[in-house]
Structures are given as structure tokens and as C-alpha cells.
């Protein structure tokens, strides 16, 4: 089954074609980073306009890359939640009209379900790679989400823990911005952290009472912001790399603490299969720390290639396949977009 997938929830317009949820035939991404970097963050109205300008030609490019025409496509999958509402609506409306014109099914996909599914296209059982199939547990870390999720089936999700305030990506981006690193700062913080001393400052660690798997990054983020502001008010010289290293170390510790607790919990973590997903799972410090933990606890770890960590439409076409074939899900021309939506609510 050939699925044409669309992703437009934030600052990348993406179109992909995936066969049977696993085989990537085309993967086109038009990034808006350069535009938003001028403002230090995503400007929603500009994002919507840029999606509108890119989506049609990107679809043609994806078809060309796959050597297919629209008449070969069996179904259309589109991110309809969560994300920037105006940005989501561009993808949803484009997908809707195309599905209507072609008379083929339209499949709505939750963006975070998609991030997890990106792994199916890499761990596909070919060329010595594992074949990843549920059940497993996933740690999803993106710009807006940091959650531990039990993936009991392709369309059956259970939230084990989530952030109570900021997401890891947001926390990285905000501090990166204060350190004058260009947007989006996450990847630049990753690199800069290698040049500094991680023991230079000890940032606070938060714990959510009675919810050991929940995350909280706002205290840590605020401590870093206050620290930098104070240095600047005092016109003090400081080494950005030391702050990046100490802050990254604090984020890594906050994450690995929850992951280790999960690995020790035989009730909540029966499968012993752990899957990383989302833009922040590109972070080399987090990848290494979790790999060490997985080794220690004999856990089978699945880490997506960097190319499938950030936003793309491959992940939407892949999850769309399972929403359709396992979840029997389709939508009509009244399909709407939603800025917020739980992974277990759709
Ligand atoms: O999943 P994603 O591409 O988009 C959302 O769904 O939000 O995640 C974007 C986030 C941004 O906050 C970006 O700074 C962060 O992922 N990111 C990183 C790295 N690469 C991307 N954060 C830390 N280290 C990285 N190497
Ligand atoms: Zn994302």
C-alpha cells in the first residue's frame, strides 16, 4: 500500500511516500529555519504562509523522487494534531482536497505517534537491522513534548510520564537563545557542550511528587536564565560553553533518572525494548547516556538515525499506514486540526 504523507505542524513542510508503513520511496522536507531564525523563534503566521508556498511543489518533487504519479497513491496521511493551528490547517486542507480529488482514503495522524513510527522505517528487519514491532516503551522528546509512552500496539498508546511544564527541546532552545546561539539552538547547544566543563555550575533537579516518571524542566530553565541574566547585569565575563555543558548535563540527568527508574520497574517495563523518538533524541549526550543505561540493564535500545529524529513526513505516512490497517481510521472532508491533543485521545 502506497501512502502519501504530509507534515506541516511547525516549521518544516514535509511530503513523503512510504510503502506498507516501512519502505521510504520519497522524503522531501522544506525547512523554514532560515526565515524564523531572523526572529529567534517560529512566527506562526509566517510558518503558515511558507507551508502554503511550499506544499504543492514539494508534492510534485516527492512523486518525482519515487518515480510515481498521483494515480499510483492508495491513501493520504496528514498530521492534524498537535501543533500550530494555522500551520496544521495548510497540510490538512491540502491533503483533504487531494484525497477528495483522487477518491482515496484520508488518514489523520497524531504528530507524536508519527515521531515514534519514524523508527519503523529504519528498524525494518532489512540489512541486519532489527524489525521493530510493538509492544515497547518510547521516550519522545521534541520541541513541545517530553513523555514516556507505552506503545502497546501500533495504535494503542499509554502515557507513563510526561512533562508538567516545558519540554526538553523548549528548555534547550530557550537557554541557547540567551547564549546568543541561532535558532533552533538545540543542536548548537549539543556541540557547544563538548567545549565546556559540565561541573562548572550545578543546576537544580526537580521531582514531581508522587509521579516519578513525570518531567519538569521549567525550574532548571529558569535557574539557567537567572544565572545568565545575573552575569550580564554584572557585566561579567563568562564562558558560554561551560554553561552549555553544565545545563546539558542537568537535562541529561533529569532524563536518565526517569529512564533508569523505568528500567528498574519490571511491572511498567515488561518488554525491555526502549525506543527514542523526536527532535531532541538527536542529542548526542542524551543518546550516549541512554545507551549506557540500556547496556547496564540489558535493555534493547532503538535509536532512530538523525535524519528521522526531526520533523518529516515519512513518519506520518508510516503511522498513517498503521492507523488505517490496524486502527481502521479514516476521515472525511470535515476533518479538522487541533493545536493540542493527547497521544491516547485520538
Ligand atoms: O521533533 P522536532 O523536530 O519538532 C517538534 O515536534 O517539536 O523537535 C524540535 C526540537 C527543537 O527544540 C530543537 O532544538 C531540538 O528538537 N533539537 C535538539 C537537537 N536537535 C534538535 N535538541 C538537543 N540536541 C540536539 N542535537
Ligand atoms: Zn515533531
Amino acid at each position: 500500500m502506497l501512502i502519501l504523507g504530509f507534515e506541516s505542524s511547525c516549521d518544516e513542510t514535509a511530503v513523503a511516500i512510504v510503502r506498507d508503513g516501512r519502505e521510504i520511496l520519497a522524503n522531501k522536507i522544506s525547512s523554514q529555519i532560515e526565515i524564523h531564525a531572523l526572529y529567534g523563534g517560529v512566527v506562526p503566521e509566517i510558518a503558515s504562509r511558507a507551508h502554503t508556498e511550499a506544499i504543492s511543489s514539494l508534492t510534485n518533487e516527492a512523486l518525482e523522487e519515487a518515480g510515481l504519479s498521483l494515480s499510483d497513491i492508495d491513501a493520504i496521511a496528514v498530521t492534524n494534531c498537535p501543533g500550530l493551528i494555522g500551520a496544521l490547517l495548510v497540510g490538512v486542507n491540502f491533503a483533504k482536497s487531494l484525497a477528495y480529488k483522487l477518491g482515496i482514503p484520508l488518514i489523520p495522524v497524531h504528530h507524536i505517534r508519527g515521531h515514534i513510527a519514524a523508527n519503523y522505517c529504519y528498524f525494518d528487519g532489512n540489512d541486519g537491522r532489527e524489525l521493530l514491532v510493538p509492544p515497547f516503551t518510547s521516550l519522545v522528546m521534541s520541541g513541545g513534548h517530553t513523555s514516556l509512552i507505552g506503545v502497546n500496539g501500533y495504535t494503542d498508546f499509554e502515557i507513563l510520564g510526561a512533562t508538567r511544564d516545558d519540554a526538553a527541546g523548549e528548555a534547550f532552545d530557550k537557554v541557547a537563545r540567551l547564549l546568543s546561539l541561532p535558532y533552533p539552538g538545540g543542536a548548537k547547544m549539543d556541540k557547544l557542550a563538548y567545549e565546556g566543563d559540565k561541573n562548572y555550575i550545578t543546576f537544580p533537579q526537580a521531582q514531581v511528587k508522587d509521579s516519578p516518571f513525570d518531567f519538569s524542566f521549567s525550574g532548571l530553565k529558569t535557574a539557567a536564565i537567572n544565572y545568565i541574566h545575573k552575569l550580564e547585569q554584572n557585566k561579567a565575563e563568562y564562558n558560554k560553553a561551560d554553561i552549555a555543558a553544565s545545563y546539558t548535563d542537568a537535562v541529561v540527568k533529569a532524563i536518565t533518572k526517569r529512564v533508569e527508574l523505568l528500567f528498574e520497574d519490571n511491572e511498567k517495563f515488561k518488554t525491555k525494548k526502549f525506543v527514542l523518538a523526536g527532535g531532541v533524541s538527536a542529542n548526542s549526550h542524551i543518546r550516549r547516556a541512554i545507551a549506557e543505561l540500556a547496556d547496564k540493564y540489558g535493555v534493547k535500545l532503538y535509536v532512530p538515525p538523525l535524519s528521522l529524529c526531526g520533523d518529516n513526513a515519512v513518519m506520518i505516512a508510516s503511522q498513517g499506514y498503521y492507523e488505517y490497517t490496524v486502527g481502521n481510521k479514516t476521515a472525511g472532508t470535515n476533518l479538522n486540526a487541533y493545536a493540542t491533543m493527547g497521544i491516547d485521545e485520538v
Side-chain angles (χ1 to χ4, degrees):
M1 180 176 194
L2 291 174
I3 297 196
L4 175 62
F6 293 98
E7 156 61 39
S8 69
S9 67
C10 191
D11 57 354
E12 333 265 6
T13 318
V15 184
I17 301 169
V18 173
R19 180 183 280 133
D20 296 335
R22 299 273 178 175
E23 189 191 344
I24 303 169
L25 302 185
N27 179 12
K28 303 301 290 183
I29 300 175
S30 164
S31 173
Q32 305 174 5
I33 283 177
E34 273 181 32
I35 314 171
H36 299 295
L38 298 171
Y39 305 91
V42 179
V43 183
E45 175 61 22
I46 294 177
S48 309
R49 282 168 190 255
H51 287 310
T52 309
E53 283 164 19
I55 200 161
S56 181
S57 52
L58 212 57
T59 305
N60 290 332
E61 286 173 30
L63 288 164
E64 202 175 308
E65 186 172 304
L68 297 168
S69 62
L70 277 177
S71 57
D72 297 315
I73 302 297
D74 298 307
I76 290 186
V78 62
T79 309
N80 78 317
C81 64
L84 300 171
I85 194 70
L88 284 167
L89 280 168
V90 176
V92 165
N93 284 322
F94 191 81
K96 223 187 249 187
S97 10
L98 208 51
Y100 180 71
K101 174 191 153 174
L102 298 171
I104 57 177
L106 173 67
I107 312 159
V109 175
H110 187 284
H111 182 79
I112 300 299
R113 289 188 178 199
H115 270 303
I116 296 170
N119 284 281
Y120 300 138
C121 295
Y122 184 69
F123 296 106
D124 58 357
N126 292 322
D127 302 328
R129 294 185 301 267
E130 294 272 334
L131 178 69
L132 176 65
V133 289
F136 55 80
T137 305
S138 183
L139 170 62
V140 184
M141 299 173 288
S142 68
H145 292 77
T146 306
S147 314
L148 279 165
I149 293 165
V151 183
N152 301 328
Y154 286 107
T155 60
D156 179 3
F157 299 83
E158 178 191 353
I159 300 172
L160 304 175
T163 182
R164 294 295 185 98
D165 37 59
D166 296 330
E170 206 175 323
F172 271 128
D173 290 348
K174 181 75 199 204
V175 172
R177 191 173 167 179
L178 276 172
L179 293 176
S180 314
L181 302 176
Y183 168 85
K188 282 128 200 153
M189 282 279 276
D190 189 344
K191 278 210 187 88
L192 189 60
Y194 283 102
E195 295 165 28
D197 174 9
K198 68 177 183 175
N199 299 314
Y200 187 71
I201 319 151
T202 305
F203 286 115
Q205 289 286 329
Q207 199 154 346
V208 183
K209 196 165 176 273
D210 300 328
S211 301
F213 297 126
D214 279 354
F215 299 85
S216 167
F217 292 103
S218 77
L220 173 59
K221 185 187 82 179
T222 309
I225 292 171
N226 289 342
Y227 186 85
I228 298 167
H229 277 162
K230 217 175 257 170
L231 286 170
E232 283 177 352
Q233 274 163 5
N234 295 335
K235 304 213 178 336
E237 291 270 313
Y238 66 94
N239 181 3
K240 286 180 187 179
D242 287 336
I243 297 179
S246 303
Y247 186 73
T248 299
D249 188 55
V251 173
V252 169
K253 281 188 177 132
I255 291 168
T256 49
K257 187 177 167 190
R258 273 80 176 174
V259 172
E260 182 152 26
L261 218 56
L262 178 79
F263 285 0
E264 285 170 347
D265 190 328
N266 291 324
E267 216 17 68
K268 287 227 155 61
F269 190 51
K270 288 196 191 86
T271 65
K272 305 281 175 221
K273 287 195 285 183
F274 197 64
V275 175
L276 299 189
V280 183
S281 60
N283 186 279
S284 62
H285 309 269
I286 299 176
R287 287 163 93 99
R288 193 180 52 237
I290 292 180
E292 283 169 10
L293 271 186
D295 254 5
K296 178 174 164 191
Y297 286 90
V299 167
K300 203 168 245 183
L301 180 64
Y302 300 82
V303 179
L306 294 183
S307 59
L308 291 176
C309 289
D311 288 347
N312 63 79
V314 161
M315 66 191 209
I316 302 306
S318 172
Q319 182 60 24
Y321 173 78
Y322 293 106
E323 296 292 348
Y324 184 71
T325 56
V326 179
N328 293 317
K329 195 193 280 171
T330 53
T333 46
N334 59 350
L335 176 67
N336 209 346
Y338 303 91
T340 56
M341 180 72 73
I343 194 169
D344 52 351
E345 283 176 67
V346 278

